Amino acid sequence: MEQLKNDELSLLIAEHGAELQSIRDKNGREYLWQADPKYWGKHSPTLFPIVCGLWNDTCRIDGKEYRMHRHGFGQTMDYKIISKSETRITLALTDSEATLKDYPYRFNLAVSYRLEGNQIQVVWHVENTDDKEIYFQIGAHPAFKVPDMKEGDPLHGYLKFDNTQPRRIYGNTHGCITLQHHPVKMDGQVWEFTMKDFDDDALIFDESQIHEVELLDKNKKRVLKLDFKAPALGIWSPTGKNAPFICIEPWYGIHDLAGFEGEFKDKYLVNKLLPGASFMSRYTITIG
């Protein structure tokens, strides 16, 4: 476990999955979900080279079928620390015999965490080290403690979006999506959520509808904010559990369309890199 620290925040990051494990402020307050397996045993997985599910857990690359489970292998592998200072760390994952069995592309993936005041910059860098085009998706899955909620309480909280009329799609067709859009009931920019809102799994927003999400306390005061340029966003808490966390997930990618049996390169919201090319993006967590 590696620690980053400045005058405002302290982070813990694991080499396994390059996963953020803790966000504490200078007063010791924890903001990140602490992975109680009773509800969900993860903190903030790195989603790569797919986001969400494949139809029948199967993809086709150059006519050959490969199996990959939900959110891909980026969350389950050990990364190598490339550089580290008191406020920055970069971890890397490179293709291997194990990855090539499921995903026949050569790549370098770097995940960096940077502390700047009360902000955490999370940076993704994907490099194509193959001699052909590669295709991938990448995303985040951070889980944050719901303010003012104690274990055993019914799930209840507030998010503020930079959109007053967002439209969701559903990802509950055997773990895949249909592209019909449905309105979300809003009070201006504020969405009030309970456990019932997740009976149909995550709320999924595509088409670059949202680029800023604030988590609010019971008085509608901001606790933290995520901002990002990703074209899709997932909002999730496990249904039926009243789990005291909410996931706010920027995605460069999304589930397969229900029934999709085409080539991986033709997936909805897939990213392409030519040989030698690279992709870089980031999202920012602001505490307070």
Side-chain angles (χ1 to χ4, degrees), residues 1-286:
M1 196 82 68
E2 301 294 325
Q3 184 179 49
L4 303 184
K5 191 173 184 179
N6 65 9
D7 291 338
E8 298 292 330
L9 298 174
S10 175
L11 310 183
L12 291 176
I13 297 109
E15 292 172 68
H16 186 72
E19 186 177 8
L20 185 61
Q21 305 269 303
S22 176
I23 304 171
R24 289 185 180 270
D25 65 18
K26 59 187 176 184
N27 298 314
R29 179 182 178 181
E30 178 65 67
Y31 292 82
L32 202 66
W33 169 243
Q34 288 303 290
D36 183 346
K38 175 181 175 181
Y39 300 101
W40 186 60
K42 298 179 182 180
H43 306 263
S44 181
T46 301
L47 315 182
F48 179 87
I50 60 170
V51 173
C52 299
L54 300 171
W55 187 248
N56 294 325
D57 289 335
T58 302
C59 66
R60 285 147 294 279
I61 299 175
D62 297 329
K64 185 177 178 181
E65 289 192 346
Y66 297 87
R67 300 279 291 177
M68 245 189 296
H69 294 299
R70 191 174 185 85
H71 295 318
F73 53 73
Q75 61 184 323
T76 63
M77 305 198 77
D78 291 330
Y79 290 60
K80 181 180 179 181
I81 297 174
I82 301 301
S83 64
K84 184 179 182 298
S85 70
E86 191 172 43
T87 58
R88 297 188 177 194
I89 189 170
T90 298
L91 306 98
L93 178 68
T94 303
D95 62 89
S96 63
E97 286 187 15
T99 68
L100 289 168
K101 290 177 182 177
D102 299 324
Y103 178 71
Y105 294 126
R106 297 194 177 275
F107 66 90
N108 286 328
L109 166 61
V111 181
S112 299
Y113 297 93
R114 304 173 184 174
L115 265 181
E116 298 177 6
N118 65 335
Q119 292 189 330
I120 304 152
Q121 303 277 347
V122 185
V123 182
W124 299 311
H125 183 209
V126 182
E127 180 186 7
N128 180 358
T129 58
D130 215 317
D131 58 4
K132 58 181 181 291
E133 291 180 342
I134 72 168
Y135 299 86
F136 69 95
Q137 297 177 320
I138 192 165
H141 202 318
F144 300 100
K145 297 173 70 174
V146 175
D148 311 306
M149 183 177 172
K150 300 180 178 64
E151 186 169 0
D153 289 348
L155 178 65
H156 182 244
Y158 303 92
L159 294 178
K160 182 179 179 182
F161 302 140
D162 59 341
N163 187 333
T164 59
Q165 297 179 313
R167 299 168 303 126
R168 69 175 290 186
I169 55 181
Y170 289 95
N172 59 353
T173 305
H174 301 291
C176 292
I177 60 170
T178 53
L179 278 182
Q180 291 87 358
H181 289 82
H182 305 268
V184 175
K185 184 178 180 181
M186 302 286 291
D187 180 7
Q189 291 179 268
V190 175
W191 176 58
E192 182 177 0
F193 61 84
T194 67
M195 186 178 67
K196 185 174 176 57
D197 290 298
F198 302 100
D199 284 350
D200 289 302
D201 206 0
L203 280 78
I204 303 160
F205 304 95
D206 62 344
E207 298 182 345
S208 295
Q209 295 182 65
I210 297 171
H211 292 300
E212 187 175 289
V213 182
E214 297 182 10
L215 178 61
L216 310 178
D217 66 16
K218 63 183 179 182
N219 298 315
K220 311 288 181 65
K221 181 180 178 181
R222 189 176 87 184
V223 174
L224 58 85
K225 177 179 73 170
L226 269 72
D227 58 82
F228 47 89
K229 295 182 179 179
L233 171 72
I235 303 290
W236 177 76
S237 191
T239 190
K241 293 186 176 182
N242 281 312
F245 69 84
I246 187 83
C247 293
I248 306 171
E249 310 175 40
W251 294 341
Y252 282 87
I254 208 165
H255 318 54
D256 271 356
L257 298 177
F260 179 72
E261 294 184 343
E263 282 275 318
F264 187 72
K265 67 181 180 64
D266 297 321
K267 272 176 62 66
Y268 182 44
L269 290 184
V270 75
N271 306 283
K272 177 178 77 171
L273 283 176
L274 294 170
S278 62
F279 162 98
M280 182 177 286
S281 191
R282 73 178 66 194
Y283 70 97
T284 303
I285 305 169
T286 302

